[in-house]
Amino acid sequence: MSQPEITVLYFAAASTATGLMEQLVTLPASQYPLSSLSGFLVSLHPDVGLDKILQSSQWSVNAEMVNNVEEVTLKGGEEVAIICPVSGG
């Protein structure tokens, strides 16, 4: 059985840090908590400051904003977006 994959969408600072707008990511487990995804993505993109960006970012899964990452389990096939804070005037 193959490992589940998700599509990660990087916006704003997350895209700048990783150099990517989108990435297909193989999850390390078939039931993977969204709360663990930050650390996993940082391990895929070390030393680019992604950890600090993710600390202030929000998540969406399948175009639905996530209020509590502890309540979401990824199973594969999801589209996960990193929504960074933005400012404007």
Side-chain angles (χ1 to χ4, degrees):
M1 184 177 196
S2 63
Q3 291 289 92
E5 296 178 324
I6 61 169
T7 301
V8 177
L9 304 178
Y10 297 96
F11 293 102
S15 177
T16 300
T18 62
L20 299 169
M21 294 180 70
E22 183 175 313
Q23 181 179 25
L24 190 62
V25 174
T26 302
L27 297 174
S30 61
Q31 301 277 315
Y32 199 72
L34 180 60
S35 59
S36 298
L37 189 59
S38 287
F40 184 60
L41 293 176
V42 168
S43 75
L44 297 177
H45 302 282
D47 305 320
V48 296
L50 188 59
D51 53 340
K52 293 192 184 326
I53 294 165
L54 294 177
Q55 288 174 4
S56 61
S57 296
Q58 291 187 298
W59 300 89
S60 76
V61 176
N62 295 332
E64 295 284 333
M65 293 303 295
V66 174
N67 292 320
N68 185 351
V69 296
E70 301 293 331
E71 295 177 353
V72 178
T73 300
L74 303 170
K75 298 174 178 77
E78 295 92 352
E79 180 181 78
V80 178
I82 300 167
I83 313 296
C84 301
V86 294
S87 62

